[in-house]
Amino acid sequence: ELETETADPAFWDAENKDRNKHVTSQLSKYSRLKSRLEEWKSWKEDGEAALEMLETAAEETEELFTPDERESLVRELEESANKLLQEGERYQLELLLSGPYDEQPCRILLTAGAGGTEANDWVADLKRMYERHAQKMGYSLQIEDEQPGEVVGYKSVEMVISASTDADGGAHPYGWFKGEKGSHRLVRLSPFNANNKRQTTFAGVDVAPILDDNDLNDIDIPEKDLEITTMRSGGAGGQNVNKVNSAVRIKHLPSGLNVKCTQERSQAMNKDLAMKRLKAQLLAIAKEQRVAEIQEIRGDQVEASWGTQIRNYVLHPYKMIKDQRTGWETSNVQSFLDGDLEDCIAELLKASAMEEQEA
Amino acid sequence: TVEQAHDFATKLQRRMKHEPIQYILGQWDFLDYTVAIRSPLLCPRPETEELVMMIVNDTTQSPVHILDVGCGTGVIGISLADMLTDATVRAIDIEPVAIQTSNENAKRILGSQTEYRYQATLASAENFSPDRRFDVVVSNPPYIPQLDMKTLSKDVLHFESEQALCGGVDGMDVIRTIIRQLPNWCNPGGICWMEVDPTHPQLIQEWLEDSKSLDLGVKFESSYEDLYGKERFVKLSVQ
């Protein structure tokens, strides 16, 4: 039915933009599901065909196949079975991703904690880790902003992760990455330390869903709760000054949330975008922490989500990465830092799903 | 590439002489639009973006006929034409480059609708006798008081047109001309929005509420602050 709707030329009119966006995203979601099902179906059929041939061959007294042919049939069977099993598990996991904004693209902000150059380098490592992981899981990742560190690495990195246009790519950017939110602790022999001492550094990862304007329009934040600053506060302003710094920073006073936007050349546009991001963050916190009204969000709730240490990466004296929330751990640190997060995140999703059930 | 490097070096030179970046690049963003900006026109400031948004949120009349006085690059009138339903805009300026640039930007943004919706013509506020009356008059007139002119930074003082900046001794010369013209330009109940120097809202209110000014036929409605907390905008109505 959705396809019939899109066939109507009036559907594409500007006024219908919101409905239009909603329908096209639904459509792509369903067609993706449809092509996945078709893929599974074809694997199943391949496997069954191979099985049938082997079975028939077994019943015949004559040798129908050479040992090689038989081997390749068995292999085909095994492959199809494995693929189906893997996909089955992955799909089960995705069913767990049914939170209100799980299917939305997300914005990830990496920030170096205290620790100077070592912390900046850690942010660079995390950036690489997420870039590779996003690729592995079939997401598309775009770097929006980078503040390089003085010597190496970054003070902060901002990236957007969205579902790729591939049919079998990941389809739950926010749902998948939201568990990364929190403080990531690194322990290693620092190459930047004069004595090559063991150092502990932190990097903050913040994940927020990117919401449609529709979802945001209903939210009204009172002016008095906001502190809006721009790069050129103070001074005469108006016609007297022509400075094109258009960065806008908005602080939400009750919760302490800070949002900054620098990507547009127009100050009004940056203010607009910053407001949208603030609203998205507030909404996400509200939903996750089950706060009834945005107005009730206070600093301690924000602390609870951002400041918590969620994962330890120890590279010296032993090698171990441990996720604090599930207890999941691995000593294969290199492969994890190369983007192999799937097991860890899957574990987290299962754990929070169980928590939900018990609640 | 070599050409790009050379181009960059030339532009950098200009910038080091404090030439406004908008002139060097020939364009900049205003709200959601990218507009051509050239010397000696005033480069749109962020406060003017606020003015436009304020008018858009306050104006419900449709169709609505708007006059943009001192249009410069045309951004105010063009944005209003685009964002309000059924709006037609006349724009005037005394600088020929302004007329050319405004009409060019209008075509860029309004496309084929420009013919019916936007027209910029060379005229001064004193001499403008339109063949129709307007519902809204908007202006970002030159408003800097004479004494403040020398405090301006090089990129403003040496490059942007003094005509577009200085409003006489108290900065109110053009503002006064516009206010005096309002009864000739507007329909009854017409509204005038202006961006002004922070010293002006009080001066304007005192002037209009003085008993000697009753025959002007203009009422001071309200003043509004900009993002920096300065009293930057006034709203007037025509009896």
Side-chain angles (χ1 to χ4, degrees):
Chain A
E1 323 166 332
L2 289 175
E3 285 180 332
T4 358
E5 201 177 329
T6 53
D8 179 11
F11 177 74
W12 299 100
D13 284 342
E15 280 102 46
N16 217 4
K17 206 159 43 145
D18 294 328
R19 171 80 189 148
N20 174 325
K21 232 176 17 172
H22 178 76
V23 171
T24 35
S25 81
Q26 291 284 82
L27 205 56
S28 77
K29 185 172 106 173
Y30 290 132
S31 60
R32 220 182 294 187
L33 202 56
K34 187 170 157 213
S35 58
R36 255 173 119 186
L37 285 172
E38 282 172 4
E39 203 176 26
W40 296 352
K41 202 166 147 207
S42 80
W43 288 340
K44 179 165 170 256
E45 284 169 4
D46 287 345
E48 285 178 347
L51 187 61
E52 223 184 281
M53 284 198 268
L54 286 170
E55 283 179 342
T56 344
E59 287 169 15
E60 296 288 318
T61 43
E62 271 179 52
E63 275 305 328
L64 279 177
F65 296 120
T66 68
D68 278 338
E69 284 174 332
R70 210 180 356 204
E71 223 186 279
S72 85
L73 278 176
V74 171
R75 237 195 322 233
E76 216 180 288
L77 180 60
E78 272 181 353
E79 249 179 58
S80 307
N82 278 334
K83 272 196 259 191
L84 281 171
L85 229 104
Q86 236 179 21
E87 273 297 302
E89 266 181 31
R90 204 174 256 198
Y91 189 67
Q92 261 197 333
L93 219 50
E94 290 183 14
L95 288 178
L96 295 176
L97 292 165
S98 52
Y101 303 122
D102 283 356
E103 290 176 356
Q104 300 293 117
C106 63
R107 175 170 280 110
I108 297 188
L109 180 62
L110 309 175
T111 322
T117 310
E118 175 72 358
N120 295 344
D121 195 39
W122 179 215
V123 171
D125 284 342
L126 286 174
K127 174 188 172 212
R128 179 176 165 277
M129 180 179 91
Y130 287 124
E131 280 176 328
R132 293 182 145 208
H133 183 63
Q135 197 176 37
K136 279 201 167 104
M137 300 304 294
Y139 287 107
S140 114
L141 183 150
Q142 205 136 348
I143 307 287
E144 297 251 304
D145 192 38
E146 286 171 341
Q147 299 294 328
E150 267 142 34
V151 179
V152 78
Y154 306 95
K155 290 191 192 137
S156 70
V157 176
E158 191 179 319
M159 45 186 150
V160 169
I161 301 194
S162 38
S164 79
T165 43
D166 286 340
D168 50 351
H172 304 81
Y174 179 62
W176 189 255
F177 284 92
K178 69 186 177 197
E180 293 304 294
K181 182 164 160 181
S183 187
H184 296 238
R185 175 171 172 266
L186 173 71
V187 182
R188 70 168 184 186
L189 293 178
S190 169
F192 306 104
N193 181 291
N195 302 323
N196 207 17
K197 257 179 17 179
R198 194 179 79 197
Q199 244 184 270
T200 302
T201 33
F202 294 87
V205 176
D206 193 11
V207 184
I210 297 177
L211 303 179
D212 291 333
D213 287 1
N214 266 339
D215 300 325
L216 298 174
N217 284 338
D218 301 328
I219 310 176
D220 240 328
I221 306 183
E223 288 284 323
K224 65 169 174 58
D225 283 350
L226 298 174
E227 188 184 281
I228 304 179
T229 48
T230 64
M231 289 287 110
R232 69 164 170 95
S233 302
Q239 286 174 358
N240 302 49
V241 181
N242 182 22
K243 289 275 173 287
V244 298
N245 290 319
S246 53
V248 175
R249 196 179 271 112
I250 302 185
K251 181 166 172 173
H252 183 239
L253 299 168
S255 67
L257 278 177
N258 256 312
V259 179
K260 180 174 116 171
C261 185
T262 58
Q263 66 190 63
E264 297 291 322
R265 296 197 300 193
S266 145
Q267 189 171 285
M269 292 291 103
N270 275 330
K271 181 179 165 198
D272 203 45
L273 283 174
M275 278 303 291
K276 286 196 180 132
R277 290 190 200 171
L278 179 67
K279 287 182 182 178
Q281 286 200 327
L282 287 171
L283 258 187
I285 294 178
K287 290 276 163 133
E288 283 160 19
Q289 314 225 359
R290 295 197 184 88
V291 177
E293 297 288 315
I294 299 276
Q295 278 84 328
E296 293 172 26
I297 297 179
R298 291 292 175 266
D300 41 348
Q301 270 137 346
V302 176
E303 263 310 296
S305 45
W306 197 95
T308 336
Q309 210 182 99
I310 58 156
R311 204 177 288 141
N312 269 325
Y313 304 68
V314 181
L315 304 187
H316 183 89
Y318 53 89
K319 293 199 192 318
M320 174 92 84
I321 296 183
K322 181 164 174 169
D323 195 298
Q324 305 294 87
R325 300 157 295 181
T326 54
W328 183 94
E329 56 185 39
T330 182
S331 46
N332 199 346
V333 297
Q334 196 47 55
S335 139
F336 193 91
L337 289 173
D338 279 343
D340 202 357
L341 275 67
E342 194 172 348
D343 283 345
C344 180
I345 296 184
E347 198 57 40
L348 183 64
L349 282 175
K350 288 189 205 148
S352 36
M354 282 206 291
E355 245 180 64
E356 298 256 329
Q357 281 187 345
E358 286 160 18
Chain B
T1 66
V2 173
E3 293 100 34
Q4 283 174 332
H6 182 71
D7 187 43
F8 181 71
T10 322
K11 294 200 158 102
L12 190 60
Q13 285 290 332
R14 287 167 73 180
R15 187 63 185 135
M16 289 192 336
K17 298 202 176 98
H18 302 276
E19 187 175 341
I21 197 148
Q22 298 94 325
Y23 288 171
I24 300 175
L25 295 179
Q27 60 183 33
W28 200 255
D29 289 358
F30 181 83
L31 290 175
D32 233 345
Y33 316 103
T34 305
V35 292
I37 302 183
R38 45 182 78 111
S39 171
L41 309 178
L42 193 75
C43 303
R45 316 299 205 228
E47 287 88 344
T48 314
E49 289 180 321
E50 288 185 67
L51 175 66
V52 170
M53 290 318 295
M54 228 183 285
I55 300 176
V56 168
N57 289 329
D58 191 73
T59 306
T60 47
Q61 188 177 353
S62 177
V64 60
H65 302 287
I66 304 174
L67 174 65
D68 180 359
V69 182
C71 53
T73 47
V75 288
I76 299 178
I78 298 171
S79 312
L80 291 174
D82 189 57
M83 293 200 270
L84 293 171
T85 10
D86 229 341
T88 58
V89 177
R90 268 304 279 286
I92 61 173
D93 204 293
I94 56 173
E95 167 59 59
V97 176
I99 305 306
Q100 186 190 9
T101 309
S102 295
N103 284 325
E104 187 188 307
N105 280 327
K107 224 168 252 131
R108 223 168 135 154
I109 291 166
L110 302 172
S112 55
Q113 297 209 350
T114 312
E115 246 188 276
Y116 317 107
R117 313 247 267 131
Y118 188 90
Q119 187 190 24
T121 51
L122 200 62
S124 74
E126 293 100 342
N127 300 330
F128 183 58
S129 292
D131 47 2
R132 68 153 312 120
R133 287 185 172 254
F134 298 98
D135 306 306
V136 177
V137 171
V138 58
S139 183
N140 178 20
Y143 59 65
I144 303 180
Q146 183 67 52
L147 284 179
D148 291 350
M149 288 298 287
K150 59 179 188 289
T151 67
L152 302 181
S153 64
K154 289 202 188 84
D155 60 342
V156 177
L157 199 54
H158 294 178
F159 290 92
E160 289 177 311
S161 150
E162 192 184 326
Q163 263 177 0
L165 295 163
C166 185
V169 176
D170 61 359
M172 293 256 292
D173 287 355
V174 181
I175 293 173
R176 273 187 288 260
T177 308
I178 292 175
I179 292 180
R180 290 204 171 93
Q181 284 279 49
L182 288 177
N184 301 328
W185 288 341
C186 292
N187 288 319
I191 304 286
C192 172
W193 290 90
M194 287 194 282
E195 181 186 319
V196 298
D197 185 86
T199 56
H200 294 168
Q202 187 179 13
L203 292 177
I204 296 174
Q205 186 171 14
E206 283 169 6
W207 176 37
L208 291 177
E209 289 177 356
D210 186 294
S211 52
K212 286 178 270 174
S213 310
L214 288 177
D215 57 341
L216 281 174
V218 177
K219 177 168 175 261
F220 183 90
E221 292 285 342
S222 185
S223 72
Y224 300 91
E225 282 184 3
D226 62 25
L227 202 55
Y228 305 100
K230 302 252 159 52
E231 258 192 293
R232 183 62 66 189
F233 311 110
V234 294
K235 179 181 177 187
L236 315 172
S237 65
V238 181
Q239 314 303 99

